[in-house]
Amino acid sequence: MKNMTHIIWYDTIDSTNNEAKRLLPELASGTVLAARQQTAGRGQRGNSWSSKPGNNLTFSLVLKFGEGNIPDVRPDCQFVISEAVALGVKEFLSEEGVVASIKWPNDIYVGDRKICGILIENTVKEGRLTSSIAGIGLNMNQDTFPPDIPNPTSLALQTGRTYDMEKSLVRLLAHLMDKIGKMETAPGELKESYLEALYRKGEKHKYIDFISGEEFEGTIKGISDSALLQVESEDGSVRGFSFKEIGYII
Ligand code: BTN
């Protein structure tokens, strides 16, 4: 049996990631909880995730490692999940004729605008990665955004078309499960494709070092084995940043 998914649609829920956490023990691997409206959608860094009800895809995909066709992933290799999910979204967008890049660790950008946010929440028990809740917010039909959302875009704004959420989700999941299957069979390919798609790679741009508060110019060189963002400063030194340590100035 290929990597199967089973979709449960909610009209309204606080957050599909919260619901997935609550139901985790009873959910099979491959279950997808999708919401037309989230009342407390969560983003990275403790931010909220705003989405106009019925306009966008907001869902969580539950993976249970070692169950079904989901292979075990070593806890120190868990970045491969980010790679797979980000590349699945990128490929879905590409099928719609939109070229997207991946802003490390897993935002999806079109040009300098964010089209999709991903919140991956993993559980490690006794040194083993047991489950992952991959929460995805993909802007589909929304054409105006609250002013406090930095540089947003949507698929409709990019293509001028209107999308059906249910059909789109099925197509997106096919791409996601294809990439997730590669976590075992072709992790090197995922890493390579991720690096190829990396937003701002090899270009000089401005960043903020959240530790020192300093603004600096740097060039993204790649991702270290421990999933740090490697940025070369003007003096030629390369430093690895964790997610909490660096901000992009866009
Ligand atoms: C981010 O870019 O900050 C991540 C946003 C993740 C949003 C999605 S929407 C579906 C799922 N449920 C949540 O509460 N958050 C994720």
Side-chain angles (χ1 to χ4, degrees), residues 14-18 33 38 40-45 47-51 57-60 106-107 114 116-121 133-138 243:
D14 54 347
S15 143
T16 56
N17 268 40
N18 290 354
L33 307 183
Q38 293 189 120
R42 292 191 288 115
Q44 294 166 22
R45 296 191 164 111
N47 290 326
S48 58
W49 182 254
S50 142
S51 174
L57 284 174
T58 48
F59 67 96
S60 303
N106 45 25
D107 285 343
K114 178 163 168 173
C116 176
I118 298 170
L119 178 67
I120 296 181
E121 298 184 294
I133 298 172
I136 298 172
L138 174 57
F243 183 53

Side-chain angles (χ1 to χ4, degrees), residues 50-51 56 114 139 142-149 152-154 157:
S50 142
S51 174
N56 303 316
K114 178 163 168 173
N139 296 334
Q142 188 163 345
D143 56 3
T144 55
F145 292 85
D148 57 322
I149 298 196
T153 189
S154 68
L157 285 173

Side-chain angles (χ1 to χ4, degrees), residues 179-243:
K179 298 296 176 195
I180 284 163
K182 292 194 170 167
M183 294 192 315
E184 184 179 39
T185 57
E189 182 190 312
L190 289 180
K191 193 177 175 62
E192 205 176 298
S193 307
Y194 180 95
L195 284 176
E196 246 170 58
L198 200 58
Y199 175 68
R200 285 186 171 181
K201 182 162 172 269
E203 301 166 12
K204 201 192 259 190
H205 288 280
K206 284 195 173 151
Y207 298 90
I208 181 152
D209 178 337
F210 284 142
I211 305 290
S212 66
E214 197 188 306
E215 215 177 282
F216 68 101
E217 252 189 359
T219 306
I220 294 177
K221 302 305 263 184
I223 312 290
S224 72
D225 287 343
S226 47
L228 299 177
L229 184 71
Q230 294 173 309
V231 184
E232 185 179 67
S233 304
E234 291 199 283
D235 64 5
S237 63
V238 177
R239 204 180 127 191
F241 289 88
S242 74
F243 183 53

